[in-house]
Coordinates of all heavy atoms in Angstrom, one line a residue:
D270 N 113.5 128.4 86.4 CA 113.3 129.3 85.3 C 113.2 128.7 83.9 O 112.3 129.0 83.2 CB 114.4 130.4 85.3 CG 114.5 131.4 86.4 OD1 113.3 131.4 86.9 OD2 115.4 132.0 86.6
A271 N 114.0 127.7 83.6 CA 113.9 126.9 82.4 C 112.6 126.2 82.2 O 111.9 126.3 81.1 CB 115.0 125.9 82.2
L272 N 112.0 125.6 83.3 CA 110.7 124.9 83.2 C 109.6 125.9 83.1 O 108.7 125.7 82.2 CB 110.5 124.0 84.4 CG 109.3 123.1 84.3 CD1 109.1 122.4 83.1 CD2 109.2 122.4 85.6
R273 N 109.8 127.0 83.8 CA 108.8 128.1 83.7 C 108.7 128.6 82.2 O 107.7 128.9 81.7 CB 109.2 129.3 84.7 CG 108.1 130.3 84.5 CD 108.5 131.5 85.5 NE 107.3 132.5 85.7 CZ 107.2 133.3 84.9 NH1 108.0 133.6 83.8 NH2 106.2 134.3 85.0
E274 N 109.9 128.8 81.6 CA 109.9 129.3 80.1 C 109.4 128.3 79.2 O 108.7 128.6 78.2 CB 111.4 129.6 79.8 CG 112.0 130.9 80.5 CD 111.1 132.0 80.2 OE1 110.7 132.3 79.0 OE2 111.0 132.9 81.2
Q275 N 109.5 126.9 79.5 CA 108.9 126.0 78.6 C 107.3 126.0 78.8 O 106.7 125.8 77.7 CB 109.5 124.6 79.1 CG 110.8 124.2 78.7 CD 111.3 123.0 79.2 OE1 111.4 122.7 80.3 NE2 111.7 122.0 78.2
V276 N 106.9 126.2 80.0 CA 105.5 126.4 80.2 C 105.0 127.5 79.5 O 103.9 127.5 78.7 CB 105.0 126.2 81.7 CG1 103.6 126.6 81.9 CG2 105.5 124.8 82.2
L277 N 105.6 128.6 79.5 CA 105.1 129.8 78.9 C 105.2 129.6 77.3 O 104.3 130.2 76.7 CB 106.1 131.1 79.3 CG 105.9 131.6 80.6 CD1 106.9 132.6 81.0 CD2 104.5 132.4 80.6
A278 N 106.2 129.0 76.9 CA 106.2 128.7 75.4 C 105.0 127.8 75.0 O 104.4 128.1 73.8 CB 107.5 128.0 75.0
L279 N 104.6 126.8 75.9 CA 103.4 126.0 75.5 C 102.2 126.9 75.4 O 101.4 126.8 74.5 CB 103.3 124.9 76.5 CG 104.2 123.8 76.4 CD1 103.9 122.8 77.4 CD2 104.2 123.1 75.0
L280 N 102.0 127.9 76.4 CA 100.9 128.8 76.4 C 100.9 129.5 75.2 O 99.8 129.6 74.6 CB 100.9 129.6 77.6 CG 100.5 129.0 79.0 CD1 101.0 129.7 80.2 CD2 99.0 129.1 78.9
E281 N 101.9 130.1 74.8 CA 102.0 131.0 73.5 C 101.8 130.2 72.3 O 101.2 130.8 71.3 CB 103.3 131.7 73.5 CG 103.5 132.6 74.7 CD 105.0 133.3 74.7 OE1 105.7 133.1 73.8 OE2 105.2 134.0 75.7
A282 N 102.1 128.9 72.3 CA 101.8 128.1 71.1 C 100.5 127.6 70.8 O 100.2 127.2 69.7 CB 102.9 127.0 71.0
Q283 N 99.7 127.8 71.6 CA 98.2 127.3 71.5 C 97.5 128.3 70.5 O 97.8 129.5 70.4 CB 97.5 127.3 72.9 CG 98.2 126.4 73.9 CD 98.4 125.0 73.3 OE1 97.6 124.3 72.7 NE2 99.7 124.5 73.7
P284 N 96.4 127.6 69.9 CA 95.5 128.5 68.9 C 94.5 129.2 69.6 O 93.3 129.2 69.3 CB 94.9 127.4 68.0 CG 94.8 126.3 69.0 CD 96.1 126.4 69.9
W285 N 94.9 130.1 70.6 CA 93.9 130.9 71.4 C 93.1 131.9 70.3 O 93.8 132.5 69.5 CB 94.5 131.9 72.3 CG 95.4 131.1 73.3 CD1 96.8 130.9 73.4 CD2 95.0 130.1 74.5 NE1 97.1 130.2 74.4 CE2 96.2 129.7 75.1 CE3 93.7 129.8 75.0 CZ2 96.1 129.0 76.2 CZ3 93.8 129.0 76.1 CH2 94.9 128.6 76.7
P286 N 91.9 132.1 70.5 CA 91.1 132.9 69.6 C 91.6 134.5 70.0 O 91.7 135.2 69.1 CB 89.7 132.9 70.0 CG 89.6 131.6 70.8 CD 90.9 131.1 71.3
A287 N 91.8 134.5 71.3 CA 92.5 135.8 71.8 C 93.3 135.4 73.0 O 93.0 134.5 73.8 CB 91.4 136.8 72.3
P288 N 94.6 135.9 73.1 CA 95.4 135.5 74.1 C 94.8 135.6 75.5 O 94.5 136.8 75.8 CB 96.7 136.3 73.9 CG 96.5 136.8 72.6 CD 95.1 137.0 72.2
P289 N 94.8 134.5 76.3 CA 94.3 134.7 77.7 C 95.2 135.3 78.6 O 96.4 135.4 78.3 CB 94.0 133.3 78.1 CG 95.3 132.5 77.4 CD 95.3 133.3 76.1
C290 N 94.7 135.8 79.7 CA 95.6 136.3 80.8 C 96.2 135.0 81.4 O 95.4 133.9 81.5 CB 94.7 136.9 81.8 SG 95.6 137.4 83.3
A291 N 97.6 135.0 81.6 CA 98.1 133.7 82.1 C 99.1 134.1 83.2 O 99.8 135.2 83.2 CB 98.8 133.0 80.9
Q292 N 99.1 133.2 84.1 CA 100.2 133.3 85.4 C 100.8 131.9 85.4 O 100.2 130.9 85.5 CB 99.5 133.6 86.7 CG 98.7 134.8 86.8 CD 98.1 135.1 88.1 OE1 98.9 135.1 89.0 NE2 96.8 135.2 88.2
V293 N 102.2 132.0 85.5 CA 102.9 130.6 85.7 C 103.7 130.8 87.0 O 104.6 131.8 87.1 CB 103.9 130.4 84.5 CG1 104.6 129.1 84.8 CG2 103.0 130.2 83.2
L294 N 103.2 130.2 88.1 CA 103.8 130.3 89.4 C 104.8 129.1 89.6 O 104.5 128.0 89.4 CB 102.8 130.3 90.4 CG 101.4 131.1 90.1 CD1 100.3 130.7 91.2 CD2 101.8 132.5 90.1
C295 N 105.9 129.3 90.1 CA 106.9 128.4 90.6 C 106.9 128.6 92.1 O 107.4 129.4 92.7 CB 108.3 128.8 90.0 SG 108.4 128.5 88.2
L296 N 106.5 127.3 92.6 CA 106.4 127.3 94.1 C 107.4 126.2 94.7 O 107.4 125.1 94.4 CB 105.1 126.9 94.6 CG 104.0 127.8 94.0 CD1 102.5 127.2 94.1 CD2 104.0 129.2 94.6
A297 N 108.3 126.7 95.7 CA 109.3 125.7 96.2 C 108.6 125.0 97.4 O 107.9 125.6 98.2 CB 110.4 126.6 96.7
M298 N 109.0 123.7 97.4 CA 108.5 122.8 98.5 C 109.5 121.8 98.8 O 110.4 121.6 98.0 CB 107.2 122.2 97.9 CG 106.1 123.0 97.5 SD 104.6 122.3 97.0 CE 103.8 123.6 96.2
P299 N 109.4 121.4 100.0 CA 110.4 120.4 100.5 C 110.5 119.2 99.5 O 109.4 118.8 99.2 CB 110.1 120.0 101.8 CG 109.1 121.1 102.3 CD 108.5 121.6 101.1
E300 N 111.6 118.5 99.5 CA 111.8 117.3 98.7 C 110.8 116.3 99.2 O 110.9 116.1 100.4 CB 113.1 116.8 98.6 CG 113.4 115.7 97.7 CD 113.3 115.9 96.3 OE1 113.5 117.1 95.9 OE2 112.8 115.0 95.6
G301 N 110.1 115.5 98.4 CA 109.3 114.4 98.8 C 108.0 115.0 99.4 O 107.0 114.2 99.7
F302 N 107.7 116.3 99.4 CA 106.4 116.7 99.8 C 105.4 116.7 98.8 O 105.6 116.9 97.6 CB 106.5 118.2 100.2 CG 105.3 118.9 100.7 CD1 104.9 118.7 102.0 CD2 104.7 119.8 99.9 CE1 103.8 119.3 102.4 CE2 103.6 120.5 100.4 CZ 103.1 120.3 101.6
D303 N 104.2 116.2 99.1 CA 103.0 116.1 98.3 C 102.4 117.5 98.2 O 101.6 117.8 99.1 CB 102.1 115.1 98.7 CG 101.0 114.8 97.8 OD1 100.9 115.5 96.7 OD2 100.2 114.0 97.9
G304 N 102.6 118.3 97.2 CA 102.2 119.6 97.1 C 100.9 119.9 96.3 O 100.7 121.1 96.0
R305 N 100.3 118.8 95.9 CA 99.1 118.9 95.1 C 98.1 120.0 95.6 O 97.7 120.8 94.9 CB 98.4 117.6 94.9 CG 99.3 116.7 94.0 CD 98.7 115.3 93.8 NE 98.7 114.6 95.1 CZ 98.3 113.3 95.1 NH1 97.7 112.7 94.1 NH2 98.3 112.7 96.2
S306 N 97.7 119.7 96.9 CA 96.7 120.8 97.4 C 97.3 122.1 97.6 O 96.6 123.2 97.3 CB 96.2 120.3 98.7 OG 97.2 120.2 99.6
T307 N 98.5 122.2 97.9 CA 99.2 123.5 98.0 C 99.2 124.3 96.7 O 98.9 125.5 96.6 CB 100.5 123.5 98.5 OG1 100.6 122.7 99.8 CG2 101.3 124.9 98.7
L308 N 99.5 123.5 95.5 CA 99.5 124.2 94.3 C 98.2 124.6 93.8 O 98.0 125.8 93.3 CB 100.0 123.1 93.1 CG 101.5 122.7 93.3 CD1 101.7 121.6 92.4 CD2 102.4 123.8 93.1
L309 N 97.0 123.9 94.1 CA 95.7 124.4 93.8 C 95.4 125.5 94.6 O 94.8 126.6 94.2 CB 94.6 123.2 94.0 CG 94.8 122.0 93.1 CD1 93.8 120.8 93.5 CD2 94.7 122.5 91.6
N310 N 95.7 125.5 95.9 CA 95.2 126.6 96.9 C 96.0 127.9 96.4 O 95.3 129.0 96.4 CB 95.6 126.2 98.3 CG 94.6 125.2 98.8 OD1 93.4 125.2 98.4 ND2 95.1 124.5 99.8
E311 N 97.3 127.8 96.2 CA 98.1 129.0 95.8 C 97.5 129.6 94.5 O 97.3 130.7 94.2 CB 99.5 128.7 95.6 CG 100.3 130.0 95.5 CD 100.4 131.0 96.5 OE1 100.0 130.6 97.8 OE2 100.4 132.2 96.3
G312 N 97.2 128.6 93.6 CA 96.7 129.1 92.2 C 95.3 129.8 92.5 O 95.0 130.7 91.8
L313 N 94.4 129.2 93.3 CA 93.1 129.8 93.5 C 93.3 131.2 94.2 O 92.6 132.1 93.8 CB 92.3 128.8 94.3 CG 90.9 129.2 94.6 CD1 90.2 129.4 93.4 CD2 90.2 128.2 95.5
A314 N 94.2 131.2 95.0 CA 94.4 132.6 95.7 C 95.0 133.7 94.7 O 94.6 134.8 95.0 CB 95.6 132.4 96.9
R315 N 95.7 133.3 93.7 CA 96.1 134.3 92.8 C 95.2 134.4 91.6 O 95.3 135.4 90.9 CB 97.4 133.6 92.1 CG 98.5 133.5 93.1 CD 99.5 134.6 93.4 NE 100.6 134.4 94.2 CZ 101.8 134.1 93.9 NH1 102.0 134.2 92.5 NH2 102.7 133.8 94.7
A316 N 94.1 133.6 91.4 CA 93.2 133.8 90.4 C 92.3 135.0 90.5 O 92.1 135.4 91.6 CB 92.2 132.4 90.4
R317 N 92.0 135.5 89.4 CA 91.2 136.8 89.4 C 89.8 136.7 88.7 O 89.2 137.6 88.6 CB 92.1 137.9 88.6 CG 93.3 138.2 89.4 CD 94.1 139.1 88.5 NE 94.8 138.3 87.5 CZ 96.0 138.6 87.0 NH1 96.6 139.8 87.2 NH2 96.5 137.8 86.1
G318 N 89.5 135.5 88.4 CA 88.2 135.4 87.7 C 87.1 135.2 88.7 O 87.2 134.9 89.9
R319 N 85.9 135.5 88.1 CA 84.6 135.2 88.9 C 84.3 133.8 89.1 O 83.8 133.5 90.1 CB 83.4 135.9 88.1 CG 82.1 135.8 88.9 CD 81.1 136.4 88.1 NE 79.9 136.6 88.8 CZ 78.8 137.2 88.6 NH1 78.6 137.9 87.3 NH2 77.7 137.2 89.2
Y320 N 84.6 133.1 88.1 CA 84.6 131.5 88.2 C 86.0 130.9 88.2 O 86.9 131.4 87.8 CB 83.9 131.1 87.0 CG 82.6 131.8 86.7 CD1 82.4 132.7 85.7 CD2 81.4 131.6 87.4 CE1 81.4 133.4 85.4 CE2 80.2 132.3 87.3 CZ 80.1 133.3 86.2 OH 79.0 133.9 86.0
A321 N 85.9 129.6 88.9 CA 87.2 129.0 88.9 C 87.0 127.5 88.5 O 85.9 126.9 88.8 CB 87.8 129.0 90.3
A322 N 88.1 126.8 87.9 CA 88.0 125.4 87.6 C 89.4 124.9 87.8 O 90.3 125.6 87.7 CB 87.6 125.3 86.1
F323 N 89.4 123.6 88.1 CA 90.6 123.1 88.2 C 90.9 121.9 87.1 O 89.9 121.3 86.7 CB 90.8 122.2 89.5 CG 90.7 123.1 90.7 CD1 89.5 123.2 91.5 CD2 91.7 123.9 91.1 CE1 89.4 124.0 92.6 CE2 91.5 124.7 92.1 CZ 90.5 124.8 92.9
L324 N 92.0 122.0 86.4 CA 92.3 121.0 85.3 C 93.7 120.4 85.5 O 94.7 121.3 85.6 CB 92.1 121.7 84.0 CG 92.3 120.9 82.8 CD1 91.1 119.9 82.7 CD2 92.4 121.7 81.6
D325 N 93.8 119.2 85.6 CA 95.1 118.6 85.8 C 95.8 118.5 84.5 O 95.1 118.5 83.4 CB 94.9 117.1 86.4 CG 94.7 117.0 87.9 OD1 95.0 118.1 88.5 OD2 94.4 116.0 88.4
D326 N 97.1 118.4 84.6 CA 98.0 118.5 83.3 C 97.7 117.4 82.4 O 98.0 117.4 81.3 CB 99.4 118.6 83.6 CG 100.0 117.4 84.5 OD1 99.2 116.5 84.8 OD2 101.2 117.5 84.8
D327 N 97.1 116.3 82.9 CA 96.9 114.9 82.1 C 95.5 114.9 81.7 O 95.0 113.8 81.3 CB 97.4 113.8 82.7 CG 96.7 113.5 84.0 OD1 95.9 114.4 84.5 OD2 97.0 112.4 84.6
D328 N 94.6 115.9 81.8 CA 93.3 115.9 81.5 C 92.9 117.0 80.4 O 93.8 117.7 80.1 CB 92.3 116.2 82.8 CG 92.4 115.1 83.8 OD1 92.6 114.0 83.4 OD2 92.4 115.5 84.9
Y329 N 91.8 116.9 79.9 CA 91.4 118.0 79.0 C 89.8 118.2 79.3 O 89.1 117.4 79.9 CB 91.7 117.7 77.6 CG 91.1 116.4 77.0 CD1 89.8 116.2 76.7 CD2 92.0 115.2 77.1 CE1 89.3 114.9 76.2 CE2 91.5 114.0 76.7 CZ 90.1 113.9 76.2 OH 89.8 112.8 75.8
V330 N 89.3 119.3 78.6 CA 87.9 119.5 78.8 C 87.4 119.8 77.4 O 88.0 120.4 76.4 CB 87.7 120.8 79.6 CG1 88.4 122.1 79.2 CG2 86.3 121.1 80.0
Y331 N 86.1 119.3 77.2 CA 85.6 119.5 75.8 C 85.2 120.9 75.6 O 85.0 121.7 76.4 CB 84.3 118.6 75.6 CG 84.8 117.1 75.6 CD1 84.5 116.3 76.6 CD2 85.5 116.5 74.5 CE1 84.9 114.9 76.7 CE2 85.9 115.3 74.5 CZ 85.6 114.4 75.5 OH 85.9 113.2 75.5
Q332 N 85.1 121.2 74.2 CA 85.0 122.6 73.8 C 83.7 123.5 74.6 O 84.0 124.6 74.8 CB 84.8 122.8 72.2 CG 84.8 124.1 71.7 CD 84.5 124.1 70.3 OE1 84.1 123.1 69.7 NE2 84.8 125.3 69.6
H333 N 82.7 123.0 74.7 CA 81.5 123.6 75.3 C 81.5 123.3 76.8 O 80.4 123.7 77.4 CB 80.3 123.3 74.6 CG 80.4 123.3 73.2 ND1 80.5 124.5 72.4 CD2 80.3 122.4 72.2 CE1 80.6 124.3 71.2 NE2 80.6 123.0 70.9
G334 N 82.5 122.5 77.4 CA 82.3 122.1 78.7 C 82.2 123.2 79.8 O 81.2 123.2 80.5

Side-chain angles (χ1 to χ4, degrees):
D270 288 341
L272 184 55
R273 183 177 188 282
E274 290 303 317
Q275 288 177 301
V276 171
L277 286 169
L279 288 179
L280 279 160
E281 291 173 10
Q283 303 307 320
W285 306 104
C290 176
Q292 300 181 58
V293 178
L294 315 172
C295 292
L296 304 168
M298 296 179 201
E300 186 66 33
F302 178 74
D303 183 355
R305 291 178 292 179
S306 60
T307 302
L308 294 172
L309 293 177
N310 286 331
E311 188 63 30
L313 187 58
R315 303 266 186 105
R317 294 174 281 208
R319 180 177 189 174
Y320 308 105
F323 300 107
L324 185 68
D325 282 343
D326 62 1
D327 61 347
D328 294 326
Y329 55 84
V330 62
Y331 292 109
Q332 183 178 17
H333 309 295

